[in-house]
Amino acid sequence: MNPMKRLITLAFAACLAGTAGAQTLDDVLRSIERNNKELQALGQQAEADRLATRTRNNLEDPRVEYSPFFTKGTSGVATSELVVTQGFDFPTLYAARASAARLQREAIDRRHAAARRDLLLTAKRLCLDLIRLNREARLLDERSRNANRLLELFEQRMKEGDAGILEVNKLKMERMNVQAEAARNTAAHRAALQELLALNGNLPLDFEATDYPQAEPVADLDALRDEMMGGDAALQAADATARAAAQEVAVSRQGWLPQLEIGYRRNTDLNERFNGFLVGGSLPLFANRKKTRIARAQAVSSQLLADDTRLKAEATVQGRFNELQQLQASLAAYDVPLMRHTLSLLYQAVTEGHLSLIDYCVEADGVYRNLQSQLDVEHQYQLTLAEVYKNRL
C-alpha cells in the first residue's frame, strides 16, 4: 500500500475510534450480555438441562445374550442360544413424558430469561450509579473552581488590607471540604466501575455518561400493572414450573402400566436350528410406589410458589406506583435553573463586595445542598424506573 494512503487510512480509523469510543448504557448492557461469565455458565447449564429432558423419553438399550453349551463326547459347542430383546414402556407413557419434557424446557427457558434479566438489571443499576457520580463530580468541580477563584481573590484582598485571615481560612476550609467530597466521589466511582467491569468479564468499558436514559413518566396505575405483571420473567418462570410439575403428576399416574419386551430367540444344536420370538413384560408393583404422591406434593409446592410470586408482584405494583408519584412530585419541586441563577448572583455579589463572605458561604452552601438533594432524588427516580421496566431488558 502507498505510504500516503496508509497514513490516510490510519488517520480515518483513529477518527472513527475517537467518535465511537464512548459507550451508551445500551452498549454497556449488550457488552455485558456477551461477556458475562455467569450468564454464559447459566446458558450452558440451561442447554444441558434442555438436553436432559429429551433423554427421558429414549428407548431402552437393546439386550443381546449368547449362551454356548458344552457336553461330553462332543467337540466344541454342542448347543447354543442367542436372545436379542428390546424393552419399551406403554405407548401412552411416551406421549405423557413428551408433554412433560416440553413444559420442562419452557420452564428452563423462563428461568434462564429471569436470571438474564436480573443480571442486566444489576448492570443497569451500576450504570445509573455511575451517571449520578459523574453528575455529582461535575457539581463538585464547579464548587471547587468557585472556591479556588474566591480564595485567590481574598488572598489578594488580604494583601491589600481589604480582607482578614478568617475569611481566607474559611475559603481554605471550603476547598478542603470539596476536595474530601471529591475524593469520596472518586472512590465510589472506582468501586462501581470495577463491579461493572467484573460483570463484563473484566473487559474494558468506556462509560462516561452524565445524562440519564429517556423514560416516559408513569401516570396510569393500570398501565403500570400491565407492564409489570404482563411481562414479568420471574412470574412466567414460576407459572411454567408449576405447569411442568402438574404434568409430572400425569406421568407418574401412568407408572403402573406394564413395561413391554419383545425379542428374537435362536437355539442351535448339532443337527437342528430353532428360531422364534420373545414377548414379555414386567408389572411395576413396587418401582412406582409413592411416586404419584411425591409428584403431587411437588406440584402443589410449585403452584404455591407461583401464587406467592404473583401476590408479591401485585403488591409491588402499588408500591412502585406510589414511589414514582412521590419522586416525580419531588423532582418537580426542584427549580434547577433558579438555583443555578442564584449561585451566579451570589458569586457576583461577593466578588463585587456587595455580600460578605460569611453570608455567601451560608447561602451558597444551602443552594449546593439542594442541588445535591435533587441529584439524589433524580437518581432514586431512575432506579425505580429501571425496576419497573426491568422486563424490557
Side-chain angles (χ1 to χ4, degrees), residues 165-221:
I165 187 63
L166 290 178
E167 293 173 311
V168 172
N169 288 346
K170 177 67 176 176
L171 288 170
K172 288 182 178 180
M173 292 179 63
E174 167 67 10
R175 186 176 62 176
M176 178 185 66
N177 292 334
V178 173
Q179 289 173 347
E181 292 182 23
R184 286 192 293 268
N185 176 278
T186 300
H189 188 280
R190 288 178 179 174
L193 182 59
Q194 191 59 49
E195 289 185 52
L196 197 64
L197 292 176
L199 290 178
N200 197 43
N202 278 336
L203 296 176
L205 291 170
D206 184 12
F207 184 71
E208 296 295 334
T210 56
D211 294 325
Y212 289 109
Q214 294 294 325
E216 64 275 13
V218 178
D220 188 353
L221 179 60

Side-chain angles (χ1 to χ4, degrees), residues 154-169:
F154 276 81
E155 284 179 338
Q156 182 62 34
R157 287 182 179 179
M158 186 176 67
K159 292 179 182 179
E160 297 171 355
D162 294 332
I165 187 63
L166 290 178
E167 293 173 311
V168 172
N169 288 346

Side-chain angles (χ1 to χ4, degrees), residues 68-122:
F69 299 95
F70 305 90
T71 185
K72 292 182 179 180
T74 301
S75 176
V77 177
T79 63
S80 65
E81 180 182 57
L82 173 67
V83 180
V84 180
T85 59
Q86 174 67 60
F88 57 91
D89 292 317
F90 206 78
T92 58
L93 188 55
Y94 288 104
R97 281 204 295 248
S99 296
R102 177 178 55 79
L103 291 173
Q104 287 172 357
R105 288 193 293 273
E106 181 185 353
I108 291 168
D109 292 340
R110 298 292 188 183
R111 288 194 292 270
H112 180 260
R116 169 193 168 278
R117 178 206 65 184
D118 292 342
L119 190 142
L120 291 181
L121 178 60
T122 299

